[in-house]
Amino acid sequence: MEKALSESLYGKTPAELAALCAELGMPRFAAKQLARWLYAKHVEDPLLMSDISAAHRTRLAGRFRPVLTPPERIAESADGTKKYLFRTQQGAYIESAYIPDGARATLCVSSQAGCRMGCRFCATGRQGLQHSLTAAEILNQIVSLPERETLTNVVFMGMGEPLDNTDNVLRALDILTSEWGFGWSPTRITLSTAGVVPELRRLLDETKVHLAVSLHNPFREERAAIMPVERAWPIAEVAAILRQYDFTHQRRVSFEYIVMSGLNDSPRHIRELCRLLDGIKCRINLIRFHKIPGSPYFSPDDEAMVRFRDTLTAKGIQTTIRASRGEDIQAACGLLSTSATDAGQ
């Protein structure tokens, strides 16, 4: 008797495919054939895998459910940014943002439906966590993207905390960067985290992707007031771990800093940032705060942003102001949320 359609073929590693082939009595080389169909050709329907025997194609099709699904909704910004809405296998929704910029095209992917980190300035954090995504659901945002062939970079900066879903995120990264998978260079990928310390070393040891740390305030109590994660895993502990790794070659680390007027943009914040990040080769990306309903925070004007950037740069920390993209379609940093969609609104 065949198993129920409860698992997907897409997202399996070569070792898992080899075990599956052994279980089904398929030849050993069939694992490589399956991986090629799945990750080079992005075909997950076994019935279309022409170099697999008909009997095994039928058995595979009867056992595994399809997971690659097109987006259900597309919103396009005046600046060319596109926001895609995907439905997960559990019936929740996630959003991804496609950001074209000249020869560069970046996709901001989600790792969870919602988020449980509870950052006060983030719309995703307000909706709470529905569930973590499987590796296949993470990769589906890339594979099913209409502009897939134009992509140059992927950033794990969408909905969710990637290191709150480490197993599936690492699996997705493995498929993205392995020769048997998508074959991407790790330098095309950046993962953002609020600083989940128990999983941070694992990410740094098992991958070579770039790292972006959500900082937003260098003072412990002030950061804890807007980012509850600080209570469990202080940013000072994150910085101490990063000092043990080499970021002077291909891999880079950056710190994301959403600037909120009168809250985290004073000279004392600059001094503390310099102290906190001393000894780490990094850059700071300044991001304008994007207003969400009911929020008490405000974005500084352009002059204040430039002054903050220039002061940090003069103190030896490479600092840039990230351009806001897709704000008119709620696709900019901190605005992704599907709470209204989940509620049927």
Side-chain angles (χ1 to χ4, degrees), residues 81-83 97 99 325-333 335-336:
T81 299
K82 293 181 181 180
K83 183 171 71 170
I99 309 164
R325 298 289 301 272
E327 189 170 2
D328 57 333
I329 58 168
Q330 302 294 295
C333 181
L335 297 184
L336 295 183

Side-chain angles (χ1 to χ4, degrees), residues 265-284:
D265 60 348
S266 72
R268 71 183 184 89
H269 289 97
I270 291 175
R271 291 192 296 271
E272 185 64 11
L273 279 170
C274 293
R275 189 198 66 78
L276 176 69
L277 303 182
D278 184 45
I280 304 173
K281 182 175 173 56
C282 64
R283 88 161 60 212
I284 293 178

Side-chain angles (χ1 to χ4, degrees), residues 34-339:
L34 288 172
R36 186 166 59 250
W37 280 106
L38 292 169
Y39 306 125
K41 300 180 180 180
H42 303 297
V43 171
E44 69 165 342
D45 183 353
L47 296 178
L48 300 177
M49 299 177 181
S50 55
D51 56 0
I52 304 291
S53 74
H56 287 129
R57 273 183 275 165
T58 300
R59 290 196 70 185
L60 289 169
R63 174 166 170 174
F64 295 101
R65 73 180 192 276
V67 292
L68 300 182
T69 56
E72 294 198 356
R73 188 186 306 162
I74 304 172
E76 185 165 3
S77 167
D79 64 24
T81 299
K82 293 181 181 180
K83 183 171 71 170
Y84 290 94
L85 180 77
F86 291 93
R87 187 179 179 91
T88 72
Q89 295 292 306
Q90 296 187 37
Y93 290 91
I94 57 169
E95 292 182 324
S96 310
Y98 172 76
I99 309 164
D101 185 15
R104 184 184 177 97
T106 301
L107 183 67
C108 179
V109 301
S110 295
S111 56
Q112 295 179 308
C115 183
R116 63 176 172 181
M117 294 296 107
C119 297
R120 308 286 186 245
F121 47 80
C122 179
T124 309
R126 285 189 172 191
Q127 79 177 67
L129 178 66
Q130 280 72 62
H131 67 86
S132 290
L133 303 186
T134 64
E137 288 172 327
I138 294 170
L139 294 170
N140 180 60
Q141 297 166 74
I142 302 169
V143 178
S144 298
L145 187 77
E147 297 87 355
R148 184 183 77 202
E149 297 304 321
T150 72
L151 280 183
T152 60
N153 298 84
V154 164
V155 294
F156 283 70
M157 297 182 180
M159 301 173 65
E161 163 56 61
L163 297 188
D164 191 35
N165 185 22
T166 310
D167 288 345
N168 287 306
V169 166
L170 289 181
R171 179 183 290 258
L173 290 174
D174 192 23
I175 294 170
L176 275 170
T177 59
S178 294
E179 288 186 12
W180 52 263
F182 289 27
W184 279 33
S185 165
T187 60
R188 296 173 63 181
I189 304 168
T190 301
L191 182 142
S192 176
T193 177
V196 182
V197 167
E199 304 296 328
L200 181 58
R201 286 189 188 276
R202 186 176 170 199
L203 174 79
L204 292 170
D205 291 339
E206 296 183 23
T207 80
K208 296 181 180 179
V209 301
H210 299 313
L211 178 68
V213 178
S214 297
L215 176 50
H216 312 313
N217 202 305
F219 292 105
R220 177 166 170 76
E221 290 303 318
E222 293 181 20
R223 186 172 188 258
I226 59 173
M227 298 179 69
V229 68
E230 173 71 18
R231 298 289 185 200
W233 303 301
I235 191 63
E237 189 174 343
V238 174
I241 291 174
L242 295 180
R243 285 191 189 91
Q244 300 170 22
Y245 289 82
D246 184 5
F247 295 102
T248 61
H249 298 292
Q250 282 193 315
R251 173 182 258 179
R252 300 190 305 267
V253 61
S254 60
F255 290 86
E256 311 296 295
Y257 199 90
I258 294 177
V259 185
M260 291 166 271
S261 184
L263 188 72
N264 64 353
D265 60 348
S266 72
R268 71 183 184 89
H269 289 97
I270 291 175
R271 291 192 296 271
E272 185 64 11
L273 279 170
C274 293
R275 189 198 66 78
L276 176 69
L277 303 182
D278 184 45
I280 304 173
K281 182 175 173 56
C282 64
R283 88 161 60 212
I284 293 178
N285 290 319
L286 301 181
I287 305 164
R288 289 176 178 82
F289 171 68
H290 298 113
K291 189 71 174 174
I292 56 178
S295 168
Y297 311 127
F298 296 91
S299 177
D301 58 29
D302 290 348
E303 182 180 340
M305 290 287 290
V306 169
R307 185 168 57 248
F308 199 71
R309 178 199 66 192
D310 291 350
T311 305
L312 280 166
T313 299
K315 291 183 176 294
I317 300 180
Q318 184 181 4
T319 306
T320 59
I321 298 174
R322 185 192 293 170
S324 293
R325 298 289 301 272
E327 189 170 2
D328 57 333
I329 58 168
Q330 302 294 295
C333 181
L335 297 184
L336 295 183
S337 175
T338 55
S339 54

